[in-house]
Amino acid sequence: MVNHEKYLDRKDRKFGVIPFSSFEVDGVLLENVVQDTSVNVEKLTETKILI
């Protein structure tokens, strides 16, 4: 299992993956994370479910 975790870490570094936990300061989720308001996620999800 250790080799698999190292492999995933290498892939994350290679592709610049940012872990979700990096958006927290002292255990509190940052409120200034930019949200994309141009995409209606609810409508998109509903459409995909119907298809």
Side-chain angles (χ1 to χ4, degrees):
M1 193 67 168
V2 174
N3 287 336
H4 183 67
E5 291 173 5
K6 288 180 182 179
Y7 167 78
L8 292 176
D9 286 340
R10 285 194 309 271
K11 287 292 191 179
D12 287 349
R13 284 193 303 271
K14 179 179 178 182
F15 293 106
V17 174
I18 301 171
F20 188 72
S21 60
S22 69
F23 294 111
E24 293 183 9
V25 175
D26 296 330
V28 178
L29 186 62
L30 296 177
E31 295 295 329
N32 60 353
V33 175
V34 178
Q35 295 180 358
D36 186 3
T37 57
S38 65
V39 177
N40 186 346
V41 177
E42 292 84 9
K43 185 66 176 172
L44 185 64
T45 305
E46 178 182 310
T47 303
K48 287 187 179 231
I49 289 173
L50 289 175
I51 291 175

